[in-house]
Amino acid sequence: MRVFLLLVAFELSWAQYNPNTKPGRTSIVHLFEWRWADIALECERYLAPNGFGGVQISPPNENLVITNPWRPWWERYQPISYKLCSRSGNENEFKDMVTRCNNVGVYIYVDAVVNHMCGAAAGSGTHSTCGSYFNSETHDFPAVPYSGWDFNDWKCKTGSGEIENYGDPYQVRDCRLVSLLDLALEKDYVRSKVAEYMNHLIDIGVAGFRIDASKHMWPGDMKAFLDKLKNLSTTWFAEGTRPFIFQEVIDLGGEAIKASDYYGNGRVTEFKYGAKLGTVIRKWSGEKMAYLKNWGEGWGFMPSDKAVVFVDNHDNQRGHGAGGSAILTFWDSRQYKMAVGFMLAHPYGFTRVMSSFRWPRYFENGKDINDWVGPPSNGDGSTKSVTINPDTTCGNDWVCEHRWRQIRNMVIFRNVVDGQPFTNWWDNNSNQVAFGRGNKGFIVFNNDDWNMSETLQTGLPAGTYCDVISGQKEGNGCSGIKIQVNGDGTAYFQISNSAEDPFVAIHVDAKL
Ligand SMILES: *[C@@H]1O[C@H](CO)[C@@H](O)[C@H](O)[C@H]1NC(C)=O
Ligand SMILES: *[C@@H]1O[C@H](CO)[C@@H](O)[C@H](O)[C@H]1NC(C)=O
Ligand SMILES: *[C@@H]1O[C@H](CO)[C@@H](O)[C@H](O)[C@H]1NC(C)=O
């Protein structure tokens, strides 16, 4: 009996690490600031047919409206209530999105902002996305309701009430992060309100949560509200399925709070991943791709089964958060495609692809003074819809990296090689590297400043394969480079350092 109980506890405590994506769908995409109506369409017309497992959405709850004179993206990280009412749409549109995406096997992951409410200086009134009244001075949020008793001010020991020193874990978790009113998650009442919000989303059919600012909450307080969560809806998920949990903890090393503090609650965002990969692909600090041979735990990253990985996210693509100027983004598209390609080919971690909007990036003294600009919007402040061009790219300043051929085809590559080991590593001790995934796929990079011409062991069955970077298999033909794999598994690769994309990827589903 004792053994049985332990086994059950073990299984339950493991469930929240499972992304809950359908078998054979191994990545999610962050459709940053997209409207629910557009996400529903994208699930049906693009994500499901191309093997995407899910979508991380922007916070769906009511938030502060900031107009100065345009609306910043970060207003959505200033909650006013847990009503499902935001720039992305209302509750009916939210339900329609979840239903339609789930029905085509693409699941929804909610960005849950539960560490705090709006900034202390937000004032009072009804300038919120649903028009709910609030007063930041008296800490009154009647639409939840929260009152002055539900915040941490008494607990914070700094003079300013703000986090002043990241070396002190009490400050990081009990004080205000950039003036945001810090919820008292040690109170069962607050935990219950947070769980009620998340359970409402589970009832609608979401598959899991990114938990914003997890570093600023005590892991035990988080566990307390996570333990109150329901199992996922049996309309779409097997009975007893726990919500996928991944926690935003920025840990680049050298701080009091470590990503490992949070493993007990679910997966954690591995911020070292994009910072290091950007440095390598840019060839900064003496890094080179040959060093990627032991990428993953060998680089001091968290265990693969705890990690959510990404090349860039909505914060660090615009200089917020972590990683600084090493982070690769769509603005550096050639190197970005190589980095995303490497990530999707490599077995480490659970992968998230970024999908951005273009903003009027403008540097003054090394800082982007427009890093705050919100999504493409109409004159009345409403978010512009995502239009699709005849060539399948997006209009209205939506970047849609997930629709770039190279990235979309590598999402498919990852699905094809799922479960296969990391094999046949090769490098030239510089920036030409290659590796395989068992007998299912092989990828080759030339990030050196000279041409590459090598015969390599691919591990693949003999045949003619279509490179999914320069093109793809179309019917019985190939719109890209063809690669001939010989009977002994070797193949000849020639990659010009000036190629539009200096990498080649082949897999068994792109065999001609
Ligand atoms: C989730 O499902 C499991 C297995 O069916 C069950 O034992 C557990 O009580 C459920 N948890 C909740 C919170 O409903
Ligand atoms: C990298 O590979 C090329 C041939 O593909 C070779 O000419 C070059 O010397 C190699 N660089 C190093 C540092 O080994
Ligand atoms: C590298 O390859 C490209 C394409 O094949 C070719 O045009 C170029 O001359 C080559 N460069 C060198 C230095 O051999």
Side-chain angles (χ1 to χ4, degrees), residues 8 12 227-232 239-242:
V8 169
L12 287 182
D227 281 348
K228 293 178 192 282
L229 297 186
K230 297 182 179 181
N231 290 329
L232 296 188
E239 199 173 324
T241 306
R242 297 299 294 159

Side-chain angles (χ1 to χ4, degrees), residues 428-430 432 448 450-454:
N428 73 338
N429 195 30
S430 185
Q432 299 178 0
D448 270 333
W450 54 87
N451 286 350
M452 169 176 177
S453 158
E454 289 284 339

Side-chain angles (χ1 to χ4, degrees), residues 49-337:
N50 287 296
F52 285 80
V55 181
Q56 179 185 314
I57 60 166
S58 284
N61 63 295
E62 179 171 29
N63 62 261
L64 181 67
V65 171
I66 299 171
T67 317
N68 68 337
W70 297 291
R71 291 170 67 175
W73 60 269
W74 42 257
E75 70 168 45
R76 295 186 75 163
Y77 291 87
Q78 300 206 32
I80 295 297
S81 82
Y82 299 132
K83 291 182 185 167
L84 300 184
C85 182
S86 67
R87 284 182 101 180
S88 289
N90 61 29
E91 179 158 346
N92 284 335
E93 291 162 320
F94 183 86
K95 287 179 170 163
D96 182 58
M97 166 186 71
V98 174
T99 301
R100 287 166 59 191
C101 289
N102 283 356
N103 284 346
V104 292
V106 179
Y107 299 140
I108 299 295
Y109 302 84
V110 170
D111 192 348
V113 185
V114 297
N115 168 66
H116 54 260
M117 299 299 279
C118 65
S124 72
T126 55
H127 46 297
S128 50
T129 48
C130 252
S132 296
Y133 171 83
F134 65 94
N135 185 334
S136 70
E137 278 127 55
T138 56
H139 299 182
D140 204 18
F141 296 90
V144 179
Y146 287 138
S147 70
W149 302 105
D150 300 319
F151 292 86
N152 265 339
D153 301 83
W154 63 273
K155 224 179 156 186
C156 170
K157 300 284 187 285
T158 63
S160 63
E162 296 282 321
I163 301 166
E164 294 172 2
N165 172 11
Y166 274 82
D168 177 355
Y170 292 90
Q171 287 191 26
V172 178
R173 284 149 171 168
D174 295 340
C175 297
R176 292 177 186 170
L177 165 66
V178 294
S179 100
L180 299 163
L181 298 174
D182 203 55
L183 283 166
L185 281 159
E186 67 175 44
K187 291 185 63 178
D188 190 57
Y189 175 77
V190 176
R191 294 169 175 178
S192 297
K193 283 291 157 189
V194 167
E196 194 180 286
Y197 164 53
M198 294 171 80
N199 278 330
H200 182 204
L201 297 164
I202 288 174
D203 286 340
I204 292 171
V206 308
F209 302 92
R210 168 200 187 256
I211 305 194
D212 181 64
S214 293
K215 182 179 183 174
H216 302 281
M217 295 182 267
W218 291 94
D221 289 344
M222 291 184 67
K223 183 176 186 317
F225 68 71
L226 294 174
D227 281 348
K228 293 178 192 282
L229 297 186
K230 297 182 179 181
N231 290 329
L232 296 188
S233 164
T234 52
T235 307
W236 294 286
F237 303 94
E239 199 173 324
T241 306
R242 297 299 294 159
F244 177 44
I245 300 298
F246 62 107
Q247 304 160 91
E248 186 218 6
V249 179
I250 299 175
D251 171 11
L252 293 178
E255 279 182 26
I257 292 169
K258 307 220 163 344
S260 56
D261 301 348
Y262 293 82
Y263 295 167
N265 291 332
R267 289 199 187 227
V268 183
T269 50
E270 179 50 279
F271 276 88
K272 290 172 186 160
Y273 194 101
K276 290 290 184 191
L277 192 53
T279 307
V280 173
I281 303 274
R282 290 181 190 277
K283 297 187 264 188
W284 285 359
S285 310
E287 295 286 7
K288 49 188 183 184
M289 287 190 83
Y291 297 155
L292 297 174
K293 185 175 186 176
N294 66 341
W295 185 242
E297 288 94 339
W299 279 61
F301 300 167
M302 65 184 75
S304 178
D305 63 0
K306 296 291 181 294
V308 168
V309 297
F310 44 92
V311 172
D312 61 328
N313 80 346
H314 71 277
D315 279 319
N316 65 17
Q317 71 171 193
R318 47 178 51 68
H320 289 238
S325 52
I327 299 298
L328 287 168
T329 71
F330 68 87
W331 296 106
D332 319 284
S333 63
R334 189 167 183 263
Q335 291 175 314
Y336 186 68
K337 286 178 279 185

Side-chain angles (χ1 to χ4, degrees), residues 489-500:
T490 60
Y492 174 66
F493 295 92
Q494 194 174 24
I495 305 179
S496 163
N497 65 300
S498 57
E500 181 190 347

Side-chain angles (χ1 to χ4, degrees), residues 437-511:
R437 295 293 304 279
N439 58 4
K440 299 275 198 213
F442 195 73
I443 190 163
V444 189
F445 295 86
N446 177 14
N447 198 30
D448 270 333
D449 298 327
W450 54 87
N451 286 350
M452 169 176 177
S453 158
E454 289 284 339
T455 298
L456 302 172
Q457 176 55 250
T458 65
L460 297 184
T464 306
Y465 291 77
C466 185
D467 168 33
V468 299
I469 304 303
S470 54
Q472 60 212 337
K473 188 179 166 189
E474 278 162 15
N476 292 322
C478 171
S479 57
I481 297 162
K482 287 182 194 163
I483 302 288
Q484 191 66 43
V485 175
N486 305 313
D488 64 356
T490 60
Y492 174 66
F493 295 92
Q494 194 174 24
I495 305 179
S496 163
N497 65 300
S498 57
E500 181 190 347
D501 296 302
F503 65 117
V504 167
I506 53 177
H507 61 71
V508 291
D509 281 5
K511 190 164 177 258

